[in-house]
Amino acid sequence: MTAPVFLAEEGALDGARAVLRGPEGRHAATVRRISVGETVHLVDGAGTRARCTVAEVGKDTVVCEVLERGTDPEPAPRITVVQALPKGDRGELAVEMMTEAGVDRIVPWAAERCVTRWKPERAEKALAKWRAAAREAAKQSRRSRVPEVTAPAGTARVAELLGGAALGAVLHEEAAERLSALPLPDGLSGPGGGAVLVVGPEGGVSPDELSAFDAAGAVRVLLGPTVLRTSTAGVAALSVLQSRCGRW
């Protein structure tokens, strides 16, 4: 079984010893019951990974001896999923599953037909929940990179992202072409490349939104014969694309 992963504070992995403090240290010491002599991996969320041996355990601190340190290569191509806001806690579920599957960036999208709305007074709290879900799922899946969860985007911003990607694709149940058979463009993994996948809300992407995305050069793609919920379509599309481009 692979060693457990904990998220270290910025700069904590620079020396011969690393200390987990605060909520992360408390979680390691009291919830995970990490013990002296155990091997753990500490990551900084940006690709640095240190293999460590636990030297001391306190109430809310864990002191680790760094055995080796390195930087995990950044996956290529970089994959962004634009996720329309689902109802209830299904947004955090979508973030969790996509993080475990390897997404690099998640963009919350206030689509026209979204039932859920992040009102200004609640947006910060809702976004914090998505980011916390990404952090926890990254540790659970032993990732050294925590995916970026951006501020909510409007349709114009989503169109910009699609236009700037080597591959911009919008999941649509009436599309003629399957994502599994879509020809991948040259330069997908190169500088300025990457893929952007758009997952619409339960009510579907509106005609005006589709027009904006078509104008940005996006292609409409189909996953399969069944209609997936917005909270599960992202991880399904991400899995197909990673298999196609060699990340999996």
Side-chain angles (χ1 to χ4, degrees):
M1 185 175 179
T2 56
V5 169
F6 297 97
L7 191 60
E9 297 176 357
E10 184 177 357
L13 303 181
D14 295 341
R17 279 195 163 197
V19 182
L20 290 175
R21 297 185 174 90
E24 195 73 352
R26 188 160 48 252
H27 177 76
T30 64
V31 179
R32 294 296 302 270
R33 298 177 183 270
I34 295 298
S35 58
V36 172
E38 191 170 345
T39 298
V40 297
H41 286 188
L42 304 186
V43 301
D44 67 352
T48 299
R49 181 188 300 271
R51 186 171 66 86
C52 307
T53 296
V54 176
E56 302 173 25
V57 178
K59 182 179 179 180
D60 57 3
T61 60
V62 175
V63 180
C64 301
E65 299 281 355
V66 176
L67 303 177
E68 59 180 339
R69 179 190 299 105
T71 300
D72 294 336
E74 188 167 359
R78 180 175 169 83
I79 301 176
T80 295
V81 175
V82 176
Q83 174 66 60
L85 304 180
K87 293 183 290 185
D89 61 359
R90 296 191 72 87
E92 289 114 90
L93 175 63
V95 171
E96 178 183 310
M97 291 190 297
M98 290 190 288
T99 298
E100 291 177 0
V103 72
D104 299 299
R105 179 172 58 170
I106 299 170
V107 180
W109 174 36
E112 185 177 319
R113 293 176 176 173
C114 282
V115 174
T116 295
R117 295 290 171 185
W118 284 3
K119 297 179 180 179
E121 64 272 17
R122 297 182 57 192
E124 187 174 340
K125 183 177 180 181
L127 184 59
K129 287 183 177 180
W130 281 37
R131 288 172 173 167
R135 287 194 301 271
E136 293 306 311
K139 292 188 294 181
Q140 175 66 33
S141 54
R142 310 301 197 263
R143 290 181 60 166
S144 64
R145 298 179 187 274
V146 177
E148 176 189 6
V149 180
T150 74
T155 297
R157 174 57 181 155
V158 175
E160 288 180 9
L161 293 173
L162 289 166
L167 171 64
V170 180
L171 302 185
H172 196 277
E173 62 188 46
E174 296 179 358
E177 192 154 24
R178 292 177 184 261
L179 180 59
S180 59
L182 182 71
L184 299 183
D186 295 334
L188 183 61
S189 298
V196 174
L197 298 171
V198 174
V199 180
E202 301 289 357
V205 183
S206 75
D208 287 346
E209 290 165 340
L210 284 172
S211 295
F213 299 159
D214 290 345
V219 294
R220 305 181 191 184
V221 294
L222 182 70
L223 280 176
T226 59
V227 177
L228 278 67
R229 298 194 68 163
T230 185
S231 54
T232 54
V235 69
L238 178 64
S239 302
V240 171
L241 184 56
Q242 290 191 120
S243 297
R244 293 285 319 283
C245 67
R247 282 184 48 157
W248 276 15

